[in-house]
Amino acid sequence: MSENSTVVSSSTVELDTTQLSVQPAPRKRRRMSLWGGYALRRFGGLLLSLSLLIVVTFFIVPLIPGDPAVAVAGADATREQRDAIREQLGLNDPLSLQFVHYITGIFTGQLGDSFAYGESVMNIILTKMPFTLELALFGILITLAISVPLGMIVGVATQGGRRRWLDVVFGMLTGLFQSIPQFVTATFLVVIFAITLRLLPAAGATSLSSLILPLVALSLGPICSIARVVRRETATVLEQDYIRTAKGNRLGSLRLYARHALPNLLTTTLTLSGLILAGMLGGAIIIETVFSWPGLGREVVTAIAYKDYPVIQGVILVLGLIAILINLLIDVILGVIDPRTLGGTHANG
């Protein structure tokens, strides 16, 4: 009886050891399965987004009032001259044929020639894009550098209902600056700092100082938006049990917030940052126009005035593609940081 017990016990131990030895494999397969499913969903979403972008970009531009042939030939041109230009630009072709040419051009890297300048649209985009990317990337860096610490500091200072006045002032100021349209902020900055005080240039991209006012106008609203979210998330995280445990173990404040609180804010902050960076590319159209910044935004405004269809379609297509890729990159980073986001469920993995 004793020997049988020993045998059964040994078998049990051997079985448990075997089970423990194969545990990592299912976890690895589950993680790979999550990434595989995630990649398929994201690839499908990417194709759908690109298809919608291409279709909308092509069909919405001809709705702009006015005749491109008139803009190219001039108001004094005869009807015969306008008809000749319209034929030369391919505007008399059926819309379906124009769409086929448009699609073919996209997949061959040829976005056509500008109606106004006769220059390749791709060359125009490659020339102007660095200015827009410079504005947008510096804008998001400044936004994150200010908004995350600001939100965390206010969240810590007002934890548990303390310093109610600070919470109210913070909410009022960030809500106010968040709601002001960018063109109003830009105009105000030009009047105060460029015209009245003469401290900074009002237009152009001639020096580093000329970048300051456009960046402030572009970043002020996003700073307030992210700071409000970070403050709220910080207050929530600080109420969690593991934070109380860390405090009970007398962990230093800097280590506590940097090691335990900040990582839990990254998911929300990164998601919001991706959306804001994509929005900055669109907002650059307004800012670049106000400050005469030589980027894609100003170029597309000029193209709309001249009914320059290829330039409008090309610039919007490229800006939309960059926004889609930014969101894809943010999603991948979130998947690496928190695998639960891969399936939209809280799978352990």
Side-chain angles (χ1 to χ4, degrees), residues 14-328:
E14 289 177 1
L15 178 61
D16 289 342
T17 304
T18 304
Q19 288 175 338
L20 288 174
S21 65
V22 299
Q23 278 181 354
R27 287 187 178 182
K28 187 175 181 180
R29 284 197 296 270
R30 179 186 293 180
R31 186 181 291 272
M32 293 178 63
S33 176
L34 279 174
W35 275 105
Y38 176 77
L40 286 176
R41 288 194 302 276
R42 291 301 297 161
F43 183 70
L46 183 65
L47 288 181
L48 179 61
S49 300
L50 287 176
S51 300
L52 287 175
L53 176 64
I54 291 172
V55 171
V56 170
T57 302
F58 177 80
F59 285 101
I60 201 171
V61 170
L63 298 179
I64 298 173
D67 186 351
V70 175
V72 173
D76 297 332
T78 64
R79 182 172 181 177
E80 289 73 17
Q81 288 174 323
R82 295 174 188 171
D83 290 341
I85 289 176
R86 195 175 289 108
E87 184 68 26
Q88 179 186 348
L89 298 179
L91 297 174
N92 289 332
D93 293 339
L95 199 59
S96 57
L97 182 59
Q98 294 182 40
F99 186 63
V100 171
H101 290 160
Y102 179 64
I103 296 291
T104 305
I106 290 175
F107 285 100
T108 57
Q110 301 296 324
L111 299 179
D113 295 332
S114 164
F115 289 170
Y117 312 119
E119 185 180 354
S120 166
V121 172
M122 187 58 75
N123 286 340
I124 294 175
I125 291 174
L126 292 178
T127 303
K128 304 293 183 180
M129 185 184 293
F131 292 97
T132 297
L133 291 181
E134 179 185 22
L135 199 59
L137 292 178
F138 273 112
I140 194 65
L141 289 176
I142 290 174
T143 298
L144 292 177
I146 296 177
S147 62
V148 174
L150 177 63
M152 288 187 68
I153 290 172
V154 175
V156 171
T158 58
Q159 182 192 2
R162 295 179 299 165
R163 300 181 180 88
R164 179 65 183 166
W165 64 269
L166 176 59
D167 202 12
V168 172
V169 171
F170 174 80
M172 289 177 59
L173 291 179
T174 52
L176 173 65
F177 290 123
Q178 183 184 2
S179 62
I180 297 177
Q182 286 182 331
F183 74 91
V184 175
T185 306
T187 305
F188 177 80
L189 292 173
V190 169
V191 171
I192 298 298
F193 294 98
I195 297 176
T196 304
L197 300 178
R198 298 181 181 275
L199 293 176
L200 295 167
T206 55
S207 63
L208 190 60
S209 61
S210 60
L211 192 59
I212 295 177
L213 292 184
L215 279 180
V216 174
L218 191 63
S219 307
L220 186 59
I223 286 174
C224 295
S225 300
I226 295 183
R228 290 166 68 94
V229 173
V230 171
R231 190 213 67 79
R232 187 177 63 246
E233 292 294 318
T234 300
T236 303
V237 168
L238 293 180
E239 295 297 326
Q240 302 299 314
D241 291 338
Y242 68 92
I243 293 291
R244 293 195 183 97
T245 303
K247 285 182 178 178
N249 292 331
R250 297 182 179 179
L251 202 64
S253 297
L254 182 61
R255 191 177 177 187
L256 172 69
Y257 300 130
R259 185 173 178 180
H260 294 280
L262 183 60
N264 288 282
L265 303 174
L266 286 180
T267 302
T268 304
T269 304
L270 281 176
T271 303
L272 195 56
S273 300
L275 296 174
I276 286 178
L277 180 55
M280 279 185 172
L281 291 172
I285 292 176
I286 299 172
I287 299 302
E288 290 179 3
T289 303
V290 174
F291 292 99
S292 296
W293 190 260
L296 289 177
R298 185 186 173 199
E299 191 65 34
V300 79
V301 172
T302 305
I304 290 174
Y306 285 97
K307 317 295 183 296
D308 199 344
Y309 290 175
V311 173
I312 301 171
Q313 291 167 334
V315 171
I316 294 177
L317 184 66
V318 169
L319 289 178
L321 178 61
I322 293 174
I324 291 173
L325 293 178
I326 288 172
N327 283 319
L328 177 64

